[in-house]
Amino acid sequence: MAKTIKSIICPQCGSNKIKELEKDYFQCNSCDTNFFLDTDDITITHKHVYEGGQVSPVGDKGKVTKTVVLSIIAVVFIVLVLSVFPSKKARKSANGDTALALKEQVKNKRLSPKTFGKGIVELSKDKMAFVTLTYFDELKSGEQTDVLYLYVIDAKSAKELNRVEQVVDLTKKGAGVSKNWVEIESFLDADNNLYFIVNKYFIYLFDKQSLQLKDVTSTYFKGYDVFESGVASVSVSYRNFEYLLVINNKGLKYAFVPNIKTVVSEQEWATLPELKLPNPEVKRCYRFTTKSELATLKEEPVQLIQFEQKMQKGYPFYERYYVTNKDYLVGEFKNRGAYSTDVVKNYSEKSDRIVSFKDFTPKRFYQEEAQVLAEDKEGVVVAVKTTKNESEPYTIQKLRHVDGGIIWTVKTNWIDGILKLNQVEDNYFALMNNKTNVVVMNMKGEQVATIVMEFKVD
C-alpha cells in the first residue's frame, strides 16, 4: 500500500517541525527525537535520548527491538570478557600446557641455571654430594614458572644421584624481592645440614636420607617471641661471618643464629662473635687479611695469618680480618685510636677468642684474591695469584703447618674468582670457579671430579 501521510508529527512532543535525515528516517527539530516510518503507516517507532544518555523506548515493538539489541551486546561482552579473563581452571590448564610445551623444547638439552643455591654435604662415611636448587629461565611460562629443580650429584664421581621437580608458589615473596626475579640462597648449620631459602619466603631443609627437600617454612621460627607476628623476610647476611637476617611482620630487623638459638637486633650483629663460649676448644686457623678501605692500597700488605682460636660448634666467629696498622693509614684516619691496631688483636681483647697469632709466611707477597681452601693434619691449601696481571691464573698450593713450606703446587687456568665450598672430609675439598664449575680435589693436589653447572630437565 502506498504511503498517504500528508503531515508528519513528532511522536514525542507533537511538533510538526520535522526534517528528513534519510529515506523514511526523521528528526524532530524541537526535541531532537529520531524516528522512522514503518510501511503502511502502521507504526511510528522512535527513540528519545535524554541528558546522561538514557534511552526511552515507546511502543511494544520498540521494547522488543531494544531487548534484542541489548541481549546481543551482552552476549558479545561476555564472550570478550571470557576471552580476556579465562577461568582459574582454564588459566591453570593453559599454564600447564605452556610449561609442558617449554619442557619439550628443552628436553635432552643442557641448561645453565639462571640462579641457584648450593652446598656440599656428607651423605655417609666417604660419600659426599654437591646439592643445588636451581631455576631455569628457559622454563619460564606466563609471568613465572612455578617449578625449580633439585639436583644431587656425587661429588667424587660427578654422577647424578637424584633429580626432583620442586613446585614452589613463586607469587609468594618475602619483603624486598624483585617482582621479576627468583632469589635462591643456601646456608649450612653446625651439623652440616643444608637449607635453601626461596624468594626470602620459603625455607627448605635437604633430607640426606630421601635426597629431597622438606618444607620447614612454618616451623623454622617457632618459639621465638620476636617472630610471633610472623616473618616477612629471611635472607643470608654475609659480613665478617654468616648469620640470618630476619624481618618480622612489624618491620623489625634481627640477626638470627639458629644453632645457638640466639636473636639480637640487627644493629647489634657485631656482638655475636664476642659471645662467651661455654665449652670452647682451641683450634688452629688460617686467614688472609683483607685490605681496609681506609688504608693506602699500595703500602698495605695482604698477609696469611696463622692463629689459635677458641671455638665452639654453632657459635659465630670472624671469617676475615683487616690489617689497619697506623703505618698503613693516611690523612684523618691516621690519628684515630680505633684503627691503631690490628683487628685481630682488637677481636682478641673483646672476646678472649684469639690465643695466639702470627704472620705465617712473612717473606711472601700475596694478591687480594688469595683464599684459604682447606686443611688437614699435614698442612693448609691456599689459592693465590702470583702477579697483579688481570689474566694471571690461580695457583693452588699446600703449605706445611710447621713452617709454611710449600708441599705441592698446581698451576690452573682459572682466571675468574674462586669460591670456596665447605670442607666435609679431611681428604677432599671443593671449590667453584667461573661461577659455573664445581671442582673437587684431594689433599694431594689431584683433581678428582668436575661438575659443570649445566643440567637436563625431565
Side-chain angles (χ1 to χ4, degrees):
M1 181 183 291
K3 298 184 177 114
T4 58
I5 297 177
K6 295 179 181 179
S7 178
I8 300 176
I9 297 174
C10 174
Q12 180 67 26
C13 67
S15 173
N16 61 0
K17 295 180 181 180
I18 305 299
K19 67 178 178 180
E20 188 174 11
L21 299 177
E22 55 183 89
K23 183 175 176 59
D24 293 337
Y25 191 62
F26 303 88
Q27 184 181 58
C28 176
N29 291 332
S30 295
C31 66
D32 292 330
T33 296
N34 296 336
F35 57 91
F36 60 90
L37 301 180
D38 280 351
T39 58
D40 298 327
D41 304 327
I42 296 173
T43 307
I44 296 177
T45 307
H46 72 282
K47 65 177 181 178
H48 179 71
V49 181
Y50 295 93
E51 289 184 18
Q54 291 180 332
V55 178
S56 175
V58 175
D60 291 340
K61 191 167 183 177
K63 289 182 180 180
V64 173
T65 304
K66 178 185 176 184
T67 301
V68 172
V69 171
L70 290 177
S71 297
I72 293 172
I73 292 173
V75 170
V76 171
F77 177 76
I78 292 171
V79 171
L80 288 173
V81 168
L82 290 177
S83 65
V84 176
F85 302 104
S87 68
K88 184 176 180 181
K89 185 176 181 180
R91 288 198 305 270
K92 186 175 181 181
S93 177
N95 289 338
D97 291 343
T98 304
L100 287 173
L102 288 170
K103 279 189 181 182
E104 285 299 317
Q105 291 177 15
V106 299
K107 198 170 183 180
N108 297 322
K109 292 183 180 179
R110 297 186 70 83
L111 304 178
S112 296
K114 181 75 173 180
T115 184
F116 59 89
K118 81 291 179 196
I120 296 286
V121 296
E122 188 174 22
L123 298 179
S124 59
K125 187 178 180 181
D126 298 326
K127 187 171 186 178
M128 62 182 186
F130 173 68
V131 184
T132 179
L133 181 64
T134 67
Y135 164 67
F136 298 108
D137 197 44
E138 290 89 345
L139 294 178
K140 186 175 181 179
S141 60
E143 294 223 347
Q144 243 168 22
T145 178
D146 61 352
V147 176
L148 306 180
Y149 273 84
L150 174 73
Y151 291 91
V152 185
I153 301 166
D154 190 304
K156 297 177 185 177
S157 67
K159 291 182 179 179
E160 187 177 297
L161 300 176
N162 199 19
R163 181 192 325 183
V164 181
E165 282 190 20
Q166 190 69 33
V167 179
V168 182
D169 182 1
L170 295 178
T171 62
K172 294 183 178 179
K173 300 176 183 290
V177 178
S178 172
K179 180 180 178 182
N180 297 315
W181 187 253
V182 178
E183 294 187 18
I184 305 175
E185 296 180 285
S186 54
F187 66 94
L188 289 148
D189 66 14
D191 296 318
N192 199 43
N193 292 311
L194 178 62
Y195 291 83
F196 294 100
I197 303 173
V198 179
N199 278 349
K200 296 183 180 179
Y201 184 88
F202 296 102
I203 304 177
Y204 297 99
L205 168 64
F206 175 68
D207 181 21
K208 298 177 185 178
Q209 302 300 318
S210 65
L211 305 185
Q212 297 189 29
L213 296 184
K214 179 182 179 182
D215 189 344
V216 295
T217 307
S218 60
T219 59
Y220 194 74
F221 295 104
K222 275 192 173 180
Y224 297 92
D225 293 341
V226 294
F227 302 134
E228 281 187 355
S229 63
V231 172
S233 172
V234 55
S235 57
V236 182
S237 182
Y238 299 97
R239 286 185 170 171
N240 288 330
F241 58 94
E242 183 180 286
Y243 62 89
L244 296 184
L245 173 60
V246 186
I247 304 175
N248 67 12
N249 279 335
K250 295 179 181 179
L252 302 177
K253 296 181 179 181
Y254 295 92
F256 177 52
V257 185
N259 295 321
I260 55 175
K261 302 185 183 304
T262 299
V263 183
V264 299
S265 165
E266 209 270 333
Q267 294 178 336
E268 301 175 295
W269 68 271
T271 63
L272 293 172
E274 298 168 6
L275 294 172
K276 294 296 181 181
L277 306 178
N279 299 295
E281 58 178 322
V282 177
K283 289 188 175 182
R284 178 184 54 229
C285 301
Y286 294 89
R287 297 285 183 276
F288 281 102
T289 57
T290 306
K291 290 185 177 181
S292 120
E293 294 178 0
L294 306 176
T296 307
L297 297 182
K298 287 184 179 179
E299 297 177 350
E300 186 179 280
V302 174
Q303 298 169 295
L304 177 57
I305 304 295
Q306 182 193 66
F307 55 95
E308 292 181 306
Q309 179 175 220
K310 293 178 183 176
M311 301 179 71
Q312 187 168 340
K313 194 174 184 179
Y315 280 78
F317 59 91
Y318 279 115
E319 296 178 0
R320 65 176 183 175
Y321 302 99
Y322 291 97
V323 170
T324 51
N325 189 288
K326 265 188 178 181
D327 295 338
Y328 303 128
L329 299 178
V330 294
E332 60 176 309
F333 300 111
K334 192 165 187 177
N335 298 318
R336 287 191 181 181
Y339 300 98
S340 63
T341 59
D342 195 310
V343 171
V344 174
K345 185 176 180 181
N346 282 340
Y347 175 41
S348 175
E349 292 172 349
K350 287 181 180 180
S351 66
D352 191 32
R353 295 277 192 94
I354 305 296
V355 176
S356 64
F357 67 93
K358 66 178 181 180
D359 185 346
F360 185 52
T361 53
K363 295 182 180 180
R364 291 183 200 153
F365 183 81
Y366 298 104
Q367 304 296 333
E368 292 177 77
E369 298 86 352
Q371 289 191 53
V372 176
L373 299 179
E375 64 177 285
D376 61 9
K377 294 180 181 179
E378 185 181 30
V380 58
V381 179
V382 298
V384 299
K385 288 196 173 187
T386 56
T387 72
K388 188 65 177 176
N389 194 312
E390 293 294 331
S391 60
E392 175 71 21
Y394 277 93
T395 296
I396 311 296
Q397 293 180 330
K398 186 175 183 181
L399 310 178
R400 204 165 20 246
H401 288 309
V402 179
D403 55 9
I406 299 174
I407 300 173
W408 51 256
T409 297
V410 174
K411 193 79 172 179
T412 76
N413 58 359
W414 310 329
I415 296 175
D416 292 335
I418 282 182
L419 176 64
K420 171 188 175 181
L421 296 179
N422 58 300
Q423 186 180 6
V424 296
E425 286 190 32
D426 289 341
N427 297 326
Y428 298 89
F429 65 94
L431 57 92
M432 289 192 73
N433 70 86
N434 301 322
K435 298 181 180 180
T436 56
N437 300 328
V438 176
V439 177
V440 180
M441 301 181 71
N442 61 26
M443 294 303 287
K444 297 178 181 179
E446 300 166 334
Q447 191 165 314
V448 176
T450 298
I451 302 168
V452 180
M453 292 289 287
E454 292 181 347
F455 306 103
K456 290 182 180 180
V457 299
D458 289 329

